[in-house]
Amino acid sequence: MRRLQFAVETLVVRAVLALARWLGPVRASDAGGALGRWLGPLLPVSRIARANLALALPERDAAARALILRGMWDNLGRTVGELPHLPAMRWEIVGVEHLAPLAADGGPAILVSGHLGNWEVLPPALERLGIRMGSVYRAADNPAVDALVNGLRARAVAGKALPLFPKGAQGARAALKFLSQGGVLGLLADQKLNDGIAVPLLGAPAMTAPAPAQLALRFRCPVIPGRVQRLGPCRFRLMVDPPLALPVGEDRQAAIRALTLAINDRISAWIRERPEEWLWLHRRWPKDV
């Protein structure tokens, strides 16, 4: 049964990607956005987004939150439509000076970001600067779909194999080795980790992965926050912030919490600035918050 499910899923994904290729970059983005705006709010998963919005942005009324939800689905639909066209994406970078040392000397370094704008633009944008970024990611349950998506990511950097580390013990060991060899590791730090640490995000306690802080403190390497803003179909602005200050002191757990809080505070500011570009579909906060 599972094999049949995976086969059907793979056929659907292949069909969607083929249609997006046929439409071309801008039309695929526009079509994905239109479908997202129409269908997304009707899907059951939107209940999670509505609950998250009510919790995190209580100052917005129901109409404003509905507009954010619709905008989120527009952005997500566009991101899917743009996936086969990553080599054709256009972007500008603000704060490129914060990446210059990595382009010149390499890492180790950690780039923290979130599911904002089209986050798939980050690896090709850094590759264009001469920075080969490795990424920790959640592998799709369907291996064929996972291979398809990773193939598109590789095409975005001229067919070079990206250092991709699926979440889990094996991926964590590989990511650790990558950093120890002077790599630049990209982490989307806005997802829930059940066995993480409770640190505020948008004002409410959220179970957060401590890995970015743990790795940064282990290697005493820079943590550079950066996110993608959408300017239009297939057009983006990468905003790169100065490296976060690494805590000092003998209490390692306190230092991990302090740096994790700094990361969450930065992500919170980004979300508040452009809430319609964040992926509100994650179960980011406990139900009883």
Side-chain angles (χ1 to χ4, degrees), residues 35 208 232 278:
L35 182 62
T208 304
W278 189 51

Side-chain angles (χ1 to χ4, degrees), residues 106-191:
I110 295 170
L111 179 67
V112 292
S113 191
H115 292 84
L116 291 142
N118 186 339
W119 52 91
E120 298 287 355
V121 170
L122 285 167
L126 267 65
E127 183 78 20
R128 192 80 58 85
L129 296 175
I131 301 170
R132 186 167 176 260
M133 186 180 79
S135 300
V136 175
Y137 78 106
R138 185 192 181 284
D141 293 335
N142 185 331
V145 170
D146 193 57
L148 279 173
V149 174
N150 286 340
L152 295 174
R153 289 168 174 152
R155 281 187 62 238
V157 291
K160 301 174 185 176
L162 282 171
L164 295 172
F165 311 112
K167 288 184 177 180
Q170 185 175 353
R173 288 192 294 270
L176 188 65
K177 181 179 180 181
F178 178 74
L179 264 181
S180 71
Q181 294 174 342
V184 177
L185 184 64
L187 296 168
L188 297 176
D190 56 346
Q191 290 181 292

Side-chain angles (χ1 to χ4, degrees), residues 1-10 142:
M1 188 66 180
R2 190 169 176 83
R3 182 178 297 179
L4 177 61
Q5 176 188 338
F6 281 176
V8 172
E9 287 177 353
T10 304
N142 185 331

Side-chain angles (χ1 to χ4, degrees), residues 112-116 119 167 187-193 201 206-209 212 263-264 267-268 270-271 277-280 282-285:
V112 292
S113 191
H115 292 84
L116 291 142
W119 52 91
K167 288 184 177 180
L187 296 168
L188 297 176
D190 56 346
Q191 290 181 292
K192 181 181 179 182
L193 183 68
L201 177 73
M207 297 305 291
T208 304
I263 292 170
N264 273 12
I267 293 173
S268 296
W270 296 341
I271 295 169
E277 293 186 8
W278 189 51
L279 192 62
W280 290 91
H282 296 141
R283 294 189 182 276
R284 195 62 189 87
W285 293 275

